Amino acid sequence: MLFSSISVGTTEVVLFTIGIAALTTAVMGIFGKKWNPRGKHCYVTGGSTGLGLQVAIQLTQKGGNVSIVARDEEKLRKAHQLLESHRVSPEQKLNWYSYGLNTASASAAALEAATAPYGGACPDASF
């Protein structure tokens, strides 16, 4: 056997088992419940087309405050209009930001702009 020379004591087995149980509990706590985006700030990159846009639409339909980020302003305007058509509450914040996210500084600037309407608070979720 490959691992026949490794000796594992009872303490290590117990600690490993407790660690696995704790990890399983943590993961089930995160993924075992349905997350509700209603009223949450959701930051969606690539939100003007494709999968990013579909995610933004779903979040909007579920009452999320959605910030979409992409490079193309014209596509962002059209995507924003589409999000507005899926709005479920007049209190929802639906914003768009034109930034390329290909550098750390550009990514930071985009995030800073998107968090400004929330007093600089970090988004509740990023996609």
Side-chain angles (χ1 to χ4, degrees):
M1 280 185 154
L2 181 63
F3 298 108
S4 62
S5 63
I6 297 174
S7 175
V8 178
T10 304
T11 303
E12 288 87 359
V13 171
V14 169
L15 289 175
F16 177 77
T17 304
I18 291 171
I20 292 297
L23 180 61
T24 301
T25 301
V27 169
M28 290 309 293
I30 294 170
F31 298 109
K33 299 176 185 171
K34 288 188 177 184
W35 180 72
N36 185 356
R38 183 170 300 281
K40 303 277 196 292
H41 180 205
C42 304
Y43 181 79
V44 182
T45 59
S48 64
T49 61
L51 183 59
L53 178 57
Q54 292 306 311
V55 167
I57 290 169
Q58 290 290 314
L59 293 166
T60 301
Q61 290 174 332
K62 293 180 183 283
N65 297 315
V66 179
S67 296
I68 56 174
V69 181
R71 288 184 295 258
D72 190 309
E73 284 190 37
E74 185 57 35
K75 288 180 182 177
L76 279 164
R77 282 188 186 95
K78 289 178 182 177
H80 184 255
Q81 289 174 348
L82 185 57
L83 292 182
E84 287 289 348
S85 72
H86 290 281
R87 176 188 289 277
V88 295
S89 167
E91 289 82 32
Q92 279 179 283
K93 294 179 184 176
L94 304 175
N95 300 308
W96 60 272
Y97 303 92
S98 179
Y99 287 89
L101 302 176
N102 54 343
T103 65
S105 60
S107 297
L111 186 58
E112 186 175 330
T115 58
Y118 302 91
C122 185
D124 296 297
S126 297
F127 300 89

